[in-house]
Amino acid sequence: MTPSTDAVEAGMQRALELAARGPATGVNPQVGCVLLRPDGSIAAEGWHRGAGTPHAEVDALSRLGPADARGLTAVVTLEPCDHTGLTGPCSEALLAAGVSAVAYAVADPGEASSGGAERLRAGGVEVVGGVLVEEATEFLRRWLTAARLGRPFVTLKWASSLDGRAAAADGSSRWITGPAARRHVHEQRARHDVVLVGTGTVLADDPSLTARGDDDALLPEQPLPVVVGERPVPRGAALRRHPRGLVETGSRDLVAVLADLARRGVRSVFVEGGPTVASAAVRLGLVDDYLVYLAPTLLGGPRTALDDLGVATIGDQRRLLVTSTTVLDGDLVVVARDQHRRTS
């Protein structure tokens, strides 16, 4: 006897809540697992706490006695892995524990890690995929995008006036937005593996690119700063004092830079460069999320947030889908994505 469909879906909702407790950055996905009894009640639950720690399924199983998992249903946000990395295969752990059924939301897209569902079925376990798949796909969007495209998930951020200017005519830009919007930027930096800028921004603004809290203290999670461009970062630049160090790419090839970052295990990049880097990312189709801070002010002049995008006629415009809007002390925060891009 297995739990009802309603109980499995409720278990998946709980598994997603648990998954959110795991680290938002790093090479591994956020995964949650709930072990259900036949009547739908929860016997144990777990989540993945980062690279090298037990996966969600093993974490949940560890909270039971040696034979207590027999006959239970494992509800997991991502298909159980079937490979040995820093930890062993979750498919084998579930088989050894004697679970009778496994329900998962999203299939694992990895060539090395996928195949857990097939291994479990071959071992006599009832397996159902696609439970709350839309919710789980959205939750795992960053990691899935990186896994499927072979490059990090890219968030492009800029702050501008309502008329689209990122600076006044003399180049001054501090501050277009208010403190609340700037705090939000720091929170977003902390939720990405890398913060990326061009050498033009480094030379013009000398940014520190750290993630800081209300008291200006460093947040626990810090992105790795990466500079795109051929000019060296000056010796006395603030970036050279960043707690994570500094990566100078020596290249303006964004595609190659992102590919190299992917090989280093980077799964998310926060692009804060000026119009040159930002526009290149848009032109090349590398942007997954747009994070735009609009201040209720007008500047006029030539200092636009973006420059040439290769849009010669209105038919070539890059239409976006706005997914959220938030007002922070008068500044409007807009999150958008390409209308036609899919994670799956």
Side-chain angles (χ1 to χ4, degrees):
M1 177 183 172
T2 57
S4 67
T5 299
D6 288 346
V8 170
E9 291 186 353
M12 188 64 75
Q13 289 284 7
R14 176 58 180 164
L16 287 168
E17 294 173 4
L18 294 168
R21 298 182 183 182
T25 58
V27 68
N28 294 111
Q30 294 172 290
V31 181
C33 175
V34 171
L35 297 173
L36 298 180
R37 300 183 181 93
D39 64 1
S41 62
I42 295 176
E45 53 188 33
W47 68 94
H48 184 49
R49 291 165 173 78
T53 66
H55 287 191
E57 299 93 322
V58 175
D59 185 43
L61 290 169
S62 70
R63 301 172 192 282
L64 298 175
D68 292 345
R70 295 198 176 279
L72 299 184
T73 294
V75 180
V76 196
T77 53
L78 183 68
E79 177 188 3
C81 68
D82 193 46
H83 79 124
T84 299
L86 295 177
T87 58
C90 292
S91 57
E92 292 185 4
L94 290 167
L95 285 170
V99 299
S100 60
V102 171
Y104 67 88
V106 180
D108 191 328
E111 289 186 14
S113 54
S114 61
E118 291 181 12
R119 172 71 67 89
L120 287 162
R121 287 192 184 99
V125 175
E126 178 185 347
V127 180
V128 177
V131 178
L132 299 190
V133 64
E134 291 184 5
E135 293 93 328
T137 297
E138 183 63 25
F139 174 79
L140 286 167
R141 181 166 168 258
R142 284 190 189 181
W143 184 82
L144 288 171
T145 298
R148 289 165 176 165
L149 297 182
R151 63 155 176 80
F153 184 97
V154 174
T155 301
L156 172 60
K157 166 262 174 182
W158 73 79
S160 72
S161 59
L162 282 181
D163 57 344
R165 268 58 183 181
D170 66 354
S172 59
S173 60
R174 296 184 178 179
W175 297 100
I176 291 176
T177 56
R182 296 199 295 275
R183 284 195 298 271
H184 191 264
V185 171
H186 284 273
E187 292 167 2
Q188 297 309 304
R189 285 179 184 171
R191 291 184 57 81
H192 288 76
D193 297 316
V194 158
V195 58
L196 183 148
V197 297
T199 50
T201 294
V202 174
L203 295 173
D205 298 339
D206 191 27
S208 64
L209 299 183
T210 51
R212 302 184 299 278
D214 291 341
D215 56 358
D216 213 36
L218 294 176
L219 295 176
E221 300 295 334
Q222 291 292 323
L224 172 69
V226 172
V227 178
V228 175
E230 297 171 350
R231 291 174 291 179
V233 173
R235 287 186 179 180
L239 275 180
R240 295 207 176 275
R241 299 186 293 277
H242 196 285
R244 288 287 307 279
L246 169 66
V247 173
E248 294 181 81
T249 65
S251 170
R252 292 184 291 178
D253 187 339
L254 274 179
V255 173
V257 168
L258 290 176
D260 180 64
L261 291 175
R263 286 190 290 270
R264 296 176 183 225
V266 171
R267 293 296 177 266
S268 60
V269 171
F270 194 58
V271 177
E272 285 201 64
T276 300
V277 171
S279 301
V282 176
R283 280 196 309 271
L284 293 167
L286 298 174
V287 180
D288 300 297
D289 264 357
Y290 293 81
L291 177 61
V292 183
Y293 298 84
L294 294 175
T297 188
L298 302 173
L299 294 177
R303 304 274 187 167
T304 55
L306 296 176
D307 51 34
D308 181 28
L309 300 180
V311 179
T313 179
I314 196 66
D316 297 333
Q317 64 183 298
R318 294 174 179 268
R319 180 74 63 178
L320 305 180
L321 174 67
V322 174
T323 57
S324 73
T325 58
T326 308
V327 177
L328 294 176
D329 287 351
D331 295 319
L332 179 64
V333 184
V334 180
V335 180
R337 65 181 68 165
D338 191 302
Q339 273 194 338
H340 304 295
R341 177 170 293 175
R342 296 180 180 273
T343 308
S344 56

